[in-house]
């Protein structure tokens, strides 16, 4: 499968879509999503992964603008490289490049043991989709997990 033909759905499973995250801070959002990844078997340690994501966040913001953030962590705690989609109930401060608050979060969990550049494939795929204003508009309007699944399968 070539990079361009891979779909976001090959990185995001239904169980890793959260439509009603109720975090009040950026750190809280990352912590809650880390707990879901642990529950779903993608990571072995909530704390370890959370700390690795925060360490990455301290380097440069992952708030890319348009109310979207792409936090990510390459962590020994990751047992299954994956991506999460979350929509927070209220917009969060994220130090975004355009100053916007964030309510759409794509969290990438990457195992250092992953062969090749799987996280770069995920990031390239996601970045390409996020340049499409229609896709961005559609994910912002989506109200259900099914709608998100349909969008990422396109």
């Amino acid at each position: 499968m070539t990079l361009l033909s891979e779909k976001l759905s090959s990185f995001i499973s239904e169980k890793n879509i959260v439509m009603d995250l109720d975090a009040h801070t950026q750190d809280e959002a990352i912590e809650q999503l880390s707990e879901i990844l642990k529950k779903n078997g993608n990571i072995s340690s909530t704390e370890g992964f959370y700390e690795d994501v925060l360490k990455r966040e301290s380097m440069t913001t992952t708030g890319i603008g348009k109310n979207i953030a792409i936090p990510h962590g390459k962590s020994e705690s990751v047992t299954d490289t994956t991506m999460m989609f979350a929509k927070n109930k209220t917009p969060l401060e994220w130090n975004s490049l355009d100053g916007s608050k964030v309510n759409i979060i794509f969290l990438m969990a990457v195992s250092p043991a992953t062969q090749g550049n799987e996280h770069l494939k995920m990031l390239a795929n996601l970045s390409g989709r996020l340049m499409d204003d229609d896709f961005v508009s559609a994910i912002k309007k989506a109200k259900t997990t099914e709608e998100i699944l349909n969008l990422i399968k396109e």
Side-chain angles (χ1 to χ4, degrees), residues 17-29:
I17 295 174
V18 181
M19 295 304 291
D20 56 354
L21 192 68
D22 193 16
H24 302 285
T25 66
Q26 174 183 353
D27 287 4
E28 198 177 297

Side-chain angles (χ1 to χ4, degrees), residues 73-148:
K74 202 169 204 179
S75 175
E76 295 292 339
S77 302
V78 176
T79 54
D80 181 29
T81 294
T82 192
M83 188 187 300
M84 287 193 80
F85 171 88
K87 187 178 277 196
N88 202 58
K89 289 180 178 178
T90 57
L92 303 170
E93 286 295 339
W94 209 284
N95 194 28
S96 294
L97 296 173
D98 67 353
S100 69
K101 290 187 176 185
V102 164
N103 70 324
I104 302 291
I105 304 164
F106 288 92
L107 174 64
M108 295 181 0
V110 181
S111 167
T114 300
Q115 294 299 310
N117 294 316
E118 198 67 17
H119 69 291
L120 295 178
K121 285 184 193 174
M122 279 196 285
L123 200 52
N125 184 301
L126 179 59
S127 298
R129 294 301 305 273
L130 293 176
M131 284 186 223
D132 176 350
D133 290 338
D134 291 337
F135 176 76
V136 171
S137 176
I139 61 172
K140 287 181 177 182
K141 288 179 188 158
K143 303 256 187 277
T144 66
T145 300
E146 292 74 30
E147 287 176 276
I148 294 298

